[in-house]
Amino acid sequence: HIAPMFGAIWTAVLAALSVPMQTSPDPHVVAASLIGFQSGIALSCRFRMPLERATFVTTLRNFTQLQNLAEMKRKHVEAIRALIEVAASRPDVGDGLAESWLDVLQCVSQLERLQLLTQGSESAAASGRTARTSSGSSAADTGSMFGFTGLSSSQSNGTQSISARAFFRPPASVTVGGVAAAAAAAASGGASSARSSHTLVPTVSVAELAKLETNSQVLVVLVDRLFTSSVYLSGSGIVDFVGALSSVAWNEITATFRDDSSSSGSAHYHQHQKPGHLRRGSATAAGRNQGTAPSRLFSLTKIVEISYYNMGRIRVEWSQIWAILGPLFDRVGAYSDTRAALFALDSLRQLSMKFLEKEELPHFAFQKEFLRPFADILEGYIPEASPGYDQRQQRPRSTVVVVDVMVKDMVLRCVHQIVQAAALHIRSGWKAILNVAQIAARDGNDSIAEMGFHIAKACAEQHGPQMWMLATAR
Protein backbone atom coordinates (compact mmCIF):
# COMPACT_ATOMS: atom_id res chain seq x y z
CA HIS A 1 0.00 0.00 0.00
CA ILE A 2 3.00 2.30 0.22
CA ALA A 3 3.23 3.04 -3.51
CA PRO A 4 -0.34 4.37 -3.97
CA MET A 5 -0.10 6.33 -0.72
CA PHE A 6 3.12 7.97 -1.85
CA GLY A 7 1.64 8.58 -5.30
CA ALA A 8 -1.18 10.55 -3.70
CA ILE A 9 0.97 12.86 -1.56
CA TRP A 10 4.29 13.20 -3.37
CA THR A 11 3.52 16.62 -4.90
CA ALA A 12 2.70 18.13 -1.52
CA VAL A 13 5.77 16.50 0.01
CA LEU A 14 7.99 17.87 -2.75
CA ALA A 15 6.67 21.40 -2.20
CA ALA A 16 7.12 21.11 1.56
CA LEU A 17 10.75 20.05 1.11
CA SER A 18 11.67 22.51 -1.65
CA VAL A 19 10.60 25.76 0.02
CA PRO A 20 12.73 25.44 3.20
CA MET A 21 15.61 24.03 1.19
CA GLN A 22 15.56 27.10 -1.03
CA THR A 23 14.98 29.78 1.59
CA SER A 24 16.31 28.61 4.94
CA PRO A 25 19.97 29.09 5.97
CA ASP A 26 19.50 26.89 9.06
CA PRO A 27 21.69 23.75 8.66
CA HIS A 28 19.24 21.65 10.69
CA VAL A 29 16.35 22.58 8.39
CA VAL A 30 18.50 21.88 5.34
CA ALA A 31 19.54 18.48 6.73
CA ALA A 32 15.91 17.53 7.40
CA SER A 33 14.88 18.61 3.89
CA LEU A 34 17.68 16.57 2.31
CA ILE A 35 16.64 13.48 4.29
CA GLY A 36 13.15 13.98 2.87
CA PHE A 37 14.50 14.21 -0.66
CA GLN A 38 16.54 11.05 -0.16
CA SER A 39 13.51 9.19 1.17
CA GLY A 40 11.36 10.33 -1.73
CA ILE A 41 13.98 9.20 -4.27
CA ALA A 42 14.41 5.85 -2.51
CA LEU A 43 10.66 5.16 -2.41
CA SER A 44 10.07 6.12 -6.03
CA CYS A 45 13.00 3.98 -7.16
CA ARG A 46 12.05 0.91 -5.14
CA PHE A 47 8.44 1.00 -6.33
CA ARG A 48 9.38 1.91 -9.93
CA MET A 49 7.50 5.22 -10.06
CA PRO A 50 9.20 7.03 -12.98
CA LEU A 51 7.47 10.41 -12.79
CA GLU A 52 8.01 10.79 -9.05
CA ARG A 53 11.60 9.57 -9.32
CA ALA A 54 12.51 11.94 -12.14
CA THR A 55 10.93 14.92 -10.37
CA PHE A 56 12.64 14.32 -7.03
CA VAL A 57 16.04 13.65 -8.62
CA THR A 58 15.85 16.67 -10.93
CA THR A 59 14.76 18.97 -8.11
CA LEU A 60 17.56 17.81 -5.82
CA ARG A 61 20.07 18.12 -8.65
CA ASN A 62 18.98 21.71 -9.24
CA PHE A 63 19.64 22.46 -5.57
CA THR A 64 23.30 21.49 -6.03
CA GLN A 65 23.87 24.79 -7.90
CA LEU A 66 26.70 23.21 -9.89
CA GLN A 67 25.34 25.04 -12.92
CA ASN A 68 25.69 28.39 -11.12
CA LEU A 69 28.86 28.46 -9.04
CA ALA A 70 28.49 32.16 -8.25
CA GLU A 71 25.56 31.40 -5.93
CA MET A 72 26.89 28.17 -4.48
CA LYS A 73 26.79 27.81 -0.68
CA ARG A 74 27.49 25.11 1.87
CA LYS A 75 23.92 23.77 1.73
CA HIS A 76 24.33 23.18 -2.00
CA VAL A 77 27.39 21.04 -1.30
CA GLU A 78 25.24 19.08 1.14
CA ALA A 79 22.71 18.60 -1.67
CA ILE A 80 25.50 17.11 -3.81
CA ARG A 81 26.38 14.75 -0.98
CA ALA A 82 22.74 13.73 -0.51
CA LEU A 83 22.19 12.98 -4.21
CA ILE A 84 25.32 10.84 -4.52
CA GLU A 85 24.66 9.13 -1.20
CA VAL A 86 21.13 8.00 -2.06
CA ALA A 87 22.25 6.74 -5.49
CA ALA A 88 24.97 4.60 -3.87
CA SER A 89 22.90 3.53 -0.87
CA ARG A 90 21.17 0.31 -2.01
CA PRO A 91 21.13 -1.80 -5.19
CA ASP A 92 17.32 -1.58 -5.47
CA VAL A 93 17.57 2.21 -5.51
CA GLY A 94 20.26 2.06 -8.20
CA ASP A 95 18.18 -0.35 -10.28
CA GLY A 96 15.20 2.00 -10.07
CA LEU A 97 17.07 5.16 -11.07
CA ALA A 98 17.00 4.16 -14.76
CA GLU A 99 17.24 7.36 -16.87
CA SER A 100 17.84 9.46 -13.73
CA TRP A 101 21.37 8.06 -13.57
CA LEU A 102 22.17 10.74 -16.14
CA ASP A 103 21.36 13.50 -13.63
CA VAL A 104 23.42 11.82 -10.90
CA LEU A 105 26.48 11.23 -13.08
CA GLN A 106 26.36 14.72 -14.59
CA CYS A 107 26.44 16.00 -11.02
CA VAL A 108 29.48 13.82 -10.28
CA SER A 109 31.22 15.05 -13.43
CA GLN A 110 30.61 18.70 -12.60
CA LEU A 111 31.75 18.09 -9.02
CA GLU A 112 35.04 16.72 -10.35
CA ARG A 113 35.46 19.84 -12.49
CA LEU A 114 34.84 22.00 -9.42
CA GLN A 115 37.35 19.97 -7.40
CA LEU A 116 39.98 20.53 -10.09
CA LEU A 117 39.36 24.26 -9.93
CA THR A 118 39.67 24.40 -6.15
CA GLN A 119 42.90 22.42 -6.34
CA GLY A 120 44.45 25.12 -8.54
CA SER A 121 44.61 22.95 -11.64
CA GLU A 122 44.31 26.00 -13.88
CA SER A 123 47.86 27.12 -13.16
CA ALA A 124 49.15 23.58 -13.55
CA ALA A 125 47.49 23.24 -16.91
CA ALA A 126 48.84 26.63 -18.00
CA SER A 127 52.42 25.70 -17.16
CA GLY A 128 52.02 22.35 -18.88
CA ARG A 129 50.79 23.94 -22.10
CA THR A 130 53.39 26.69 -22.11
CA ALA A 131 56.14 24.11 -22.02
CA ARG A 132 54.87 22.46 -25.20
CA THR A 133 56.04 23.67 -28.60
CA SER A 134 53.91 23.78 -31.70
CA SER A 135 55.23 20.75 -33.56
CA GLY A 136 58.20 19.00 -32.01
CA SER A 137 56.53 18.52 -28.64
CA SER A 138 53.50 16.95 -30.30
CA ALA A 139 55.60 14.04 -31.43
CA ALA A 140 57.32 13.91 -28.06
CA ASP A 141 53.98 13.79 -26.24
CA THR A 142 52.81 11.04 -28.54
CA GLY A 143 55.93 9.02 -28.02
CA SER A 144 55.56 9.29 -24.26
CA MET A 145 52.01 8.03 -24.44
CA PHE A 146 53.18 4.69 -25.72
CA GLY A 147 55.20 4.32 -22.54
CA PHE A 148 52.43 4.77 -19.95
CA THR A 149 48.91 3.47 -20.20
CA GLY A 150 45.55 3.27 -18.38
CA LEU A 151 44.69 3.17 -14.70
CA SER A 152 47.25 2.83 -11.98
CA SER A 153 45.17 0.09 -10.36
CA SER A 154 44.92 -1.97 -13.52
CA GLN A 155 48.47 -2.71 -14.58
CA SER A 156 48.70 -5.93 -16.52
CA ASN A 157 51.37 -7.97 -18.25
CA GLY A 158 54.14 -5.75 -16.95
CA THR A 159 52.88 -2.63 -18.75
CA GLN A 160 52.57 0.69 -17.01
CA SER A 161 49.32 2.66 -16.84
CA ILE A 162 48.27 6.08 -18.11
CA SER A 163 47.35 8.49 -15.36
CA ALA A 164 44.08 9.95 -16.60
CA ARG A 165 44.28 12.93 -14.24
CA ALA A 166 47.08 14.31 -16.38
CA PHE A 167 44.64 14.56 -19.29
CA PHE A 168 41.59 16.26 -17.84
CA ARG A 169 43.05 19.42 -16.37
CA PRO A 170 40.99 22.46 -17.38
CA PRO A 171 42.53 25.08 -19.67
CA ALA A 172 44.38 28.00 -18.12
CA SER A 173 42.05 30.53 -19.72
CA VAL A 174 38.92 29.03 -18.20
CA THR A 175 37.02 31.11 -15.67
CA VAL A 176 34.56 29.94 -13.09
CA GLY A 177 31.85 31.63 -15.11
CA GLY A 178 32.87 29.59 -18.14
CA VAL A 179 32.72 26.41 -16.07
CA ALA A 180 29.25 27.31 -14.89
CA ALA A 181 28.14 27.87 -18.47
CA ALA A 182 29.63 24.55 -19.54
CA ALA A 183 27.89 22.85 -16.61
CA ALA A 184 24.57 24.33 -17.62
CA ALA A 185 25.13 23.15 -21.19
CA ALA A 186 25.89 19.62 -20.01
CA ALA A 187 22.73 19.63 -17.90
CA SER A 188 20.66 20.51 -20.96
CA GLY A 189 22.11 17.63 -22.96
CA GLY A 190 25.09 19.37 -24.50
CA ALA A 191 23.20 20.62 -27.52
CA SER A 192 23.43 24.27 -26.53
CA SER A 193 26.90 24.27 -25.00
CA ALA A 194 28.38 26.56 -27.66
CA ARG A 195 25.68 29.14 -27.07
CA SER A 196 25.75 28.95 -23.25
CA SER A 197 29.54 29.13 -23.11
CA HIS A 198 29.27 32.84 -23.96
CA THR A 199 26.64 33.53 -21.27
CA LEU A 200 27.73 36.18 -18.80
CA VAL A 201 27.96 34.57 -15.35
CA PRO A 202 29.49 36.24 -12.28
CA THR A 203 32.94 34.83 -11.63
CA VAL A 204 34.03 33.41 -8.29
CA SER A 205 37.58 33.17 -7.00
CA VAL A 206 39.17 29.78 -6.41
CA ALA A 207 39.70 30.72 -2.76
CA GLU A 208 35.96 31.23 -2.28
CA LEU A 209 35.19 27.91 -3.91
CA ALA A 210 37.74 26.18 -1.67
CA LYS A 211 35.78 27.31 1.40
CA LEU A 212 32.88 25.10 0.28
CA GLU A 213 34.98 21.98 1.01
CA THR A 214 34.03 20.20 -2.19
CA ASN A 215 37.24 18.16 -1.81
CA SER A 216 36.17 16.78 1.57
CA GLN A 217 36.92 13.16 2.27
CA VAL A 218 33.20 12.42 2.63
CA LEU A 219 32.48 13.42 -0.97
CA VAL A 220 35.52 11.57 -2.30
CA VAL A 221 34.49 8.37 -0.52
CA LEU A 222 30.89 8.70 -1.70
CA VAL A 223 31.93 9.11 -5.34
CA ASP A 224 34.19 6.06 -5.09
CA ARG A 225 31.42 4.05 -3.48
CA LEU A 226 29.00 5.09 -6.22
CA PHE A 227 31.18 3.37 -8.84
CA THR A 228 32.34 0.38 -6.78
CA SER A 229 28.75 -0.45 -5.82
CA SER A 230 27.88 -0.90 -9.50
CA VAL A 231 28.76 -4.57 -9.08
CA TYR A 232 25.56 -5.01 -7.04
CA LEU A 233 23.25 -3.64 -9.74
CA SER A 234 21.04 -6.01 -11.68
CA GLY A 235 21.50 -6.73 -15.37
CA SER A 236 19.12 -3.96 -16.45
CA GLY A 237 20.46 -1.63 -13.75
CA ILE A 238 24.06 -1.87 -14.92
CA VAL A 239 22.97 -1.23 -18.51
CA ASP A 240 21.19 1.96 -17.44
CA PHE A 241 24.21 3.00 -15.39
CA VAL A 242 26.70 2.37 -18.21
CA GLY A 243 24.45 4.13 -20.73
CA ALA A 244 24.28 7.27 -18.61
CA LEU A 245 28.01 7.21 -17.85
CA SER A 246 28.81 6.83 -21.55
CA SER A 247 26.68 9.85 -22.41
CA VAL A 248 28.37 11.94 -19.72
CA ALA A 249 31.83 10.79 -20.86
CA TRP A 250 31.11 11.77 -24.46
CA ASN A 251 29.72 15.16 -23.39
CA GLU A 252 32.84 15.80 -21.30
CA ILE A 253 35.17 15.12 -24.21
CA THR A 254 33.24 17.03 -26.85
CA ALA A 255 32.34 20.00 -24.62
CA THR A 256 35.94 20.62 -23.55
CA PHE A 257 37.41 20.33 -27.04
CA ARG A 258 34.51 22.13 -28.74
CA ASP A 259 34.57 25.11 -26.38
CA ASP A 260 38.31 25.61 -26.82
CA SER A 261 38.22 25.18 -30.58
CA SER A 262 35.28 27.55 -31.00
CA SER A 263 37.19 30.25 -29.15
CA SER A 264 40.14 29.85 -31.54
CA GLY A 265 37.92 29.76 -34.60
CA SER A 266 38.75 26.22 -35.76
CA ALA A 267 36.38 23.36 -36.46
CA HIS A 268 36.81 19.75 -35.44
CA TYR A 269 35.56 18.15 -38.62
CA HIS A 270 35.20 19.64 -42.07
CA GLN A 271 32.53 18.35 -44.39
CA HIS A 272 33.88 16.53 -47.40
CA GLN A 273 32.33 16.77 -50.83
CA LYS A 274 30.93 13.28 -50.52
CA PRO A 275 27.92 13.01 -48.17
CA GLY A 276 28.55 11.05 -44.98
CA HIS A 277 32.33 11.41 -45.26
CA LEU A 278 34.35 13.60 -42.92
CA ARG A 279 37.95 14.59 -42.81
CA ARG A 280 40.14 16.30 -40.26
CA GLY A 281 41.10 19.89 -41.04
CA SER A 282 44.69 21.01 -40.92
CA ALA A 283 43.62 24.00 -38.85
CA THR A 284 42.33 21.63 -36.19
CA ALA A 285 45.59 19.70 -36.09
CA ALA A 286 47.57 22.90 -35.85
CA GLY A 287 45.34 24.20 -33.07
CA ARG A 288 45.67 20.91 -31.22
CA ASN A 289 49.45 21.14 -31.28
CA GLN A 290 49.53 24.80 -30.31
CA GLY A 291 47.83 24.64 -26.94
CA THR A 292 44.31 23.28 -27.42
CA ALA A 293 42.93 22.27 -24.04
CA PRO A 294 42.94 18.50 -23.47
CA SER A 295 39.54 16.87 -23.16
CA ARG A 296 38.29 15.89 -19.75
CA LEU A 297 38.50 12.13 -19.34
CA PHE A 298 37.09 11.68 -15.84
CA SER A 299 33.99 9.70 -16.84
CA LEU A 300 35.89 7.73 -19.47
CA THR A 301 38.33 6.71 -16.75
CA LYS A 302 35.42 5.65 -14.56
CA ILE A 303 34.10 3.53 -17.43
CA VAL A 304 37.37 1.60 -17.40
CA GLU A 305 37.14 1.22 -13.63
CA ILE A 306 33.59 -0.10 -13.55
CA SER A 307 34.42 -2.45 -16.43
CA TYR A 308 37.07 -4.01 -14.22
CA TYR A 309 34.70 -4.14 -11.25
CA ASN A 310 32.00 -5.86 -13.34
CA MET A 311 34.26 -8.22 -15.29
CA GLY A 312 32.69 -11.19 -13.50
CA ARG A 313 29.22 -10.64 -14.97
CA ILE A 314 27.74 -13.23 -17.30
CA ARG A 315 28.30 -12.92 -21.05
CA VAL A 316 24.69 -12.00 -21.82
CA GLU A 317 24.92 -8.96 -19.55
CA TRP A 318 28.31 -8.05 -20.99
CA SER A 319 26.97 -8.19 -24.53
CA GLN A 320 24.36 -5.56 -23.54
CA ILE A 321 27.01 -3.44 -21.82
CA TRP A 322 29.35 -3.63 -24.79
CA ALA A 323 26.56 -2.60 -27.15
CA ILE A 324 26.93 0.78 -25.40
CA LEU A 325 30.66 0.89 -24.72
CA GLY A 326 31.73 -0.32 -28.17
CA PRO A 327 30.26 2.67 -30.06
CA LEU A 328 31.65 5.00 -27.38
CA PHE A 329 35.21 3.72 -27.91
CA ASP A 330 34.65 3.98 -31.68
CA ARG A 331 33.75 7.64 -31.40
CA VAL A 332 36.44 8.63 -28.91
CA GLY A 333 39.11 6.63 -30.72
CA ALA A 334 38.43 8.51 -33.96
CA TYR A 335 37.86 11.90 -32.32
CA SER A 336 39.74 15.07 -33.19
CA ASP A 337 41.53 15.26 -29.84
CA THR A 338 44.42 12.85 -30.34
CA ARG A 339 45.18 12.66 -26.62
CA ALA A 340 41.65 11.47 -25.88
CA ALA A 341 41.82 9.02 -28.79
CA LEU A 342 45.08 7.50 -27.58
CA PHE A 343 43.77 7.20 -24.05
CA ALA A 344 40.62 5.46 -25.30
CA LEU A 345 42.68 3.01 -27.36
CA ASP A 346 44.94 2.16 -24.46
CA SER A 347 41.93 1.69 -22.18
CA LEU A 348 40.37 -0.58 -24.80
CA ARG A 349 43.60 -2.59 -24.94
CA GLN A 350 43.61 -3.07 -21.17
CA LEU A 351 39.97 -4.14 -21.11
CA SER A 352 40.59 -6.55 -24.00
CA MET A 353 43.53 -8.14 -22.22
CA LYS A 354 41.46 -8.56 -19.08
CA PHE A 355 38.45 -9.94 -20.91
CA LEU A 356 40.52 -12.41 -22.91
CA GLU A 357 41.46 -14.07 -19.61
CA LYS A 358 37.85 -15.29 -19.42
CA GLU A 359 37.26 -18.49 -21.35
CA GLU A 360 34.98 -18.00 -24.33
CA LEU A 361 31.86 -20.14 -24.29
CA PRO A 362 31.02 -22.32 -27.34
CA HIS A 363 28.70 -20.67 -29.87
CA PHE A 364 29.09 -17.31 -28.10
CA ALA A 365 31.69 -15.42 -30.12
CA PHE A 366 31.96 -12.35 -27.91
CA GLN A 367 35.72 -11.84 -28.35
CA LYS A 368 35.12 -10.80 -31.93
CA GLU A 369 32.66 -8.10 -30.85
CA PHE A 370 34.93 -6.94 -28.03
CA LEU A 371 37.88 -6.42 -30.39
CA ARG A 372 35.84 -4.93 -33.23
CA PRO A 373 36.41 -1.26 -32.20
CA PHE A 374 40.08 -1.58 -33.17
CA ALA A 375 39.07 -2.30 -36.77
CA ASP A 376 36.34 0.36 -36.73
CA ILE A 377 38.73 3.05 -35.51
CA LEU A 378 41.47 2.04 -37.94
CA GLU A 379 39.07 2.18 -40.88
CA GLY A 380 37.37 5.34 -39.61
CA TYR A 381 33.85 3.94 -39.16
CA ILE A 382 32.23 5.62 -36.17
CA PRO A 383 28.57 5.66 -35.09
CA GLU A 384 26.67 8.78 -36.03
CA ALA A 385 24.55 9.02 -32.89
CA SER A 386 25.91 9.83 -29.45
CA PRO A 387 26.31 6.66 -27.35
CA GLY A 388 23.60 6.18 -24.77
CA TYR A 389 20.34 4.40 -24.00
CA ASP A 390 18.75 4.44 -27.44
CA GLN A 391 21.80 2.94 -29.17
CA ARG A 392 22.02 -0.28 -27.17
CA GLN A 393 19.45 -2.31 -29.09
CA GLN A 394 21.05 -2.12 -32.53
CA ARG A 395 24.30 -1.04 -34.05
CA PRO A 396 23.94 2.62 -35.14
CA ARG A 397 24.73 3.88 -38.61
CA SER A 398 28.34 4.80 -39.21
CA THR A 399 30.09 7.86 -40.52
CA VAL A 400 33.48 7.67 -42.24
CA VAL A 401 36.30 9.88 -40.96
CA VAL A 402 39.96 10.08 -41.85
CA VAL A 403 41.91 8.94 -38.79
CA ASP A 404 45.19 10.47 -37.70
CA VAL A 405 48.27 8.38 -38.52
CA MET A 406 49.29 8.59 -34.88
CA VAL A 407 46.02 6.94 -33.86
CA LYS A 408 46.38 4.24 -36.52
CA ASP A 409 49.86 3.48 -35.25
CA MET A 410 48.47 3.14 -31.72
CA VAL A 411 45.75 0.77 -32.91
CA LEU A 412 48.30 -1.56 -34.51
CA ARG A 413 50.59 -1.44 -31.49
CA CYS A 414 47.70 -2.34 -29.19
CA VAL A 415 46.63 -5.26 -31.39
CA HIS A 416 50.23 -6.47 -31.65
CA GLN A 417 50.58 -6.44 -27.87
CA ILE A 418 47.29 -8.32 -27.44
CA VAL A 419 48.53 -11.04 -29.82
CA GLN A 420 51.83 -11.30 -28.01
CA ALA A 421 50.40 -11.41 -24.49
CA ALA A 422 47.09 -13.26 -24.85
CA ALA A 423 47.34 -15.45 -27.97
CA LEU A 424 46.57 -18.64 -26.03
CA HIS A 425 43.22 -17.22 -24.91
CA ILE A 426 42.08 -15.88 -28.27
CA ARG A 427 39.28 -17.79 -30.01
CA SER A 428 36.82 -15.82 -32.14
CA GLY A 429 38.99 -12.74 -31.65
CA TRP A 430 41.38 -13.93 -34.37
CA LYS A 431 38.90 -12.77 -36.99
CA ALA A 432 38.92 -9.22 -35.62
CA ILE A 433 42.73 -9.21 -35.38
CA LEU A 434 43.19 -10.39 -38.96
CA ASN A 435 40.62 -7.83 -40.06
CA VAL A 436 42.76 -5.11 -38.47
CA ALA A 437 45.80 -6.38 -40.37
CA GLN A 438 43.83 -6.43 -43.62
CA ILE A 439 42.61 -2.85 -43.18
CA ALA A 440 46.14 -1.70 -42.35
CA ALA A 441 47.49 -3.39 -45.49
CA ARG A 442 45.15 -1.26 -47.63
CA ASP A 443 46.28 1.98 -45.95
CA GLY A 444 48.04 4.55 -48.08
CA ASN A 445 50.72 5.17 -45.44
CA ASP A 446 53.66 2.81 -45.96
CA SER A 447 54.53 2.48 -42.27
CA ILE A 448 50.94 1.56 -41.35
CA ALA A 449 50.74 -0.98 -44.18
CA GLU A 450 54.06 -2.50 -43.13
CA MET A 451 52.91 -2.83 -39.51
CA GLY A 452 49.75 -4.57 -40.68
CA PHE A 453 51.83 -6.97 -42.75
CA HIS A 454 54.04 -7.81 -39.78
CA ILE A 455 51.00 -8.50 -37.58
CA ALA A 456 49.53 -10.86 -40.19
CA LYS A 457 52.91 -12.55 -40.66
CA ALA A 458 53.37 -13.06 -36.92
CA CYS A 459 49.88 -14.52 -36.60
CA ALA A 460 50.47 -16.95 -39.46
CA GLU A 461 53.97 -18.06 -38.39
CA GLN A 462 53.52 -18.25 -34.63
CA HIS A 463 49.81 -19.01 -34.22
CA GLY A 464 48.80 -20.51 -37.56
CA PRO A 465 48.18 -24.06 -36.21
CA GLN A 466 46.05 -22.68 -33.38
CA MET A 467 43.91 -20.63 -35.78
CA TRP A 468 43.56 -23.62 -38.11
CA MET A 469 42.39 -25.88 -35.28
CA LEU A 470 39.82 -23.32 -34.18
CA ALA A 471 38.57 -22.86 -37.74
CA THR A 472 38.15 -26.60 -38.33
CA ALA A 473 36.52 -27.11 -34.92
CA ARG A 474 33.81 -24.62 -35.84
Side-chain angles (χ1 to χ4, degrees):
H1 304 293
I2 297 178
M5 292 172 60
F6 182 67
I9 66 172
W10 72 272
T11 53
V13 171
L14 181 64
L17 295 173
S18 300
V19 173
M21 182 67 192
Q22 187 172 7
T23 60
S24 176
D26 189 342
H28 299 288
V29 175
V30 171
S33 300
L34 291 176
I35 292 175
F37 273 106
Q38 289 181 318
S39 300
I41 293 173
L43 283 173
S44 57
C45 288
R46 290 171 186 172
F47 293 105
R48 302 299 190 270
M49 305 170 73
L51 176 61
E52 293 83 350
R53 177 210 71 221
T55 306
F56 269 90
V57 171
T58 303
T59 305
L60 182 56
R61 181 183 182 275
N62 290 337
F63 279 127
T64 62
Q65 286 293 331
L66 283 169
Q67 70 277 10
N68 189 5
L69 300 183
E71 299 180 4
M72 197 170 189
K73 301 177 182 177
R74 185 64 60 86
K75 67 178 181 180
H76 302 129
V77 178
E78 289 300 311
I80 298 172
R81 178 199 58 78
L83 180 59
I84 299 176
E85 185 178 47
V86 69
S89 59
R90 292 170 57 95
D92 56 350
V93 175
D95 290 338
L97 278 173
E99 292 85 357
S100 294
W101 272 119
L102 189 61
D103 291 314
V104 176
L105 294 173
Q106 281 179 343
C107 178
V108 173
S109 173
Q110 294 165 9
L111 175 63
E112 169 68 13
R113 185 67 175 266
L114 178 58
Q115 289 173 342
L116 290 176
L117 285 175
T118 58
Q119 290 170 0
S121 295
E122 291 180 325
S123 58
S127 61
R129 270 203 316 280
T130 304
R132 291 201 301 267
T133 58
S134 60
S135 59
S137 63
S138 176
D141 289 345
T142 305
S144 64
M145 286 182 188
F146 295 118
F148 52 87
T149 54
L151 292 169
S152 59
S153 60
S154 58
Q155 297 185 8
S156 59
N157 299 290
T159 60
Q160 294 178 328
S161 287
I162 289 182
S163 175
R165 187 171 291 275
F167 289 109
F168 51 74
R169 292 169 179 158
S173 59
V174 74
T175 62
V176 178
V179 174
S188 63
S192 60
S193 61
R195 180 179 65 255
S196 61
S197 62
H198 300 289
T199 304
L200 294 178
V201 182
T203 59
V204 184
S205 67
V206 174
E208 292 175 348
L209 291 177
K211 296 178 182 178
L212 299 175
E213 297 183 3
T214 55
N215 291 306
S216 65
Q217 189 64 24
V218 174
L219 282 176
V220 173
V221 171
L222 279 176
V223 170
D224 287 341
R225 193 174 77 183
L226 178 69
F227 293 104
T228 56
S229 61
S230 63
V231 296
Y232 302 112
L233 296 175
S234 64
S236 60
I238 189 63
V239 171
D240 291 331
F241 181 79
V242 171
L245 187 57
S246 298
S247 297
V248 174
W250 179 244
N251 287 336
E252 280 182 358
I253 294 170
T254 56
T256 307
F257 200 74
R258 179 174 59 245
D259 290 345
D260 189 82
S261 295
S262 62
S263 63
S264 61
S266 60
H268 302 146
Y269 293 120
H270 295 266
Q271 193 72 27
H272 195 265
Q273 293 179 354
K274 296 180 180 180
H277 187 84
L278 301 174
R279 65 180 177 88
R280 300 183 187 276
S282 58
T284 303
R288 180 172 61 241
N289 293 335
Q290 295 179 357
T292 300
S295 299
R296 290 185 62 223
L297 301 175
F298 170 74
S299 295
L300 185 61
T301 305
K302 292 303 179 182
I303 285 177
V304 181
E305 287 186 9
I306 66 166
S307 298
Y308 273 84
Y309 298 151
N310 292 272
M311 196 59 70
R313 290 185 178 269
I314 60 176
R315 271 65 166 188
V316 174
E317 293 180 355
W318 254 110
S319 62
Q320 297 174 353
I321 294 172
W322 198 248
I324 301 171
L325 295 186
L328 174 67
F329 280 107
D330 285 346
R331 292 180 65 82
V332 180
Y335 192 59
S336 302
D337 188 353
T338 307
R339 295 173 66 88
L342 295 178
F343 181 85
L345 283 169
D346 185 79
S347 300
L348 180 61
R349 177 192 62 82
Q350 291 185 62
L351 292 178
S352 301
M353 300 275 280
K354 189 68 176 178
F355 193 85
L356 287 174
E357 296 176 3
K358 300 167 64 72
E359 184 179 359
E360 187 173 52
L361 299 177
H363 308 293
F364 196 79
F366 187 55
Q367 288 183 1
K368 179 179 64 177
E369 294 299 321
F370 208 93
L371 296 173
R372 176 182 287 181
F374 287 114
D376 291 343
I377 295 170
L378 185 62
E379 199 163 12
Y381 284 108
I382 60 172
E384 290 182 352
S386 176
Y389 298 101
D390 51 351
Q391 279 79 43
R392 68 186 183 212
Q393 298 298 332
Q394 60 183 358
R395 191 171 179 83
R397 293 184 304 168
S398 296
T399 299
V400 182
V401 301
V402 178
V403 182
D404 195 289
V405 176
M406 191 185 305
V407 176
K408 292 182 179 180
D409 182 85
M410 183 65 168
V411 169
L412 296 176
R413 291 179 187 275
C414 289
V415 171
H416 180 63
Q417 186 173 0
I418 290 173
V419 172
Q420 285 186 323
L424 296 178
H425 304 289
I426 300 176
R427 297 294 182 268
S428 64
W430 284 117
K431 184 174 182 180
I433 292 172
L434 294 177
N435 189 29
V436 169
Q438 182 183 22
I439 295 171
R442 298 197 303 261
D443 195 87
N445 187 286
D446 293 340
S447 62
I448 299 299
E450 185 177 0
M451 290 179 66
F453 171 77
H454 284 303
I455 290 176
K457 182 180 178 181
C459 290
E461 293 180 348
Q462 302 174 17
H463 310 291
Q466 177 186 354
M467 290 188 291
W468 175 254
M469 291 178 60
L470 292 172
T472 55
R474 292 181 182 276

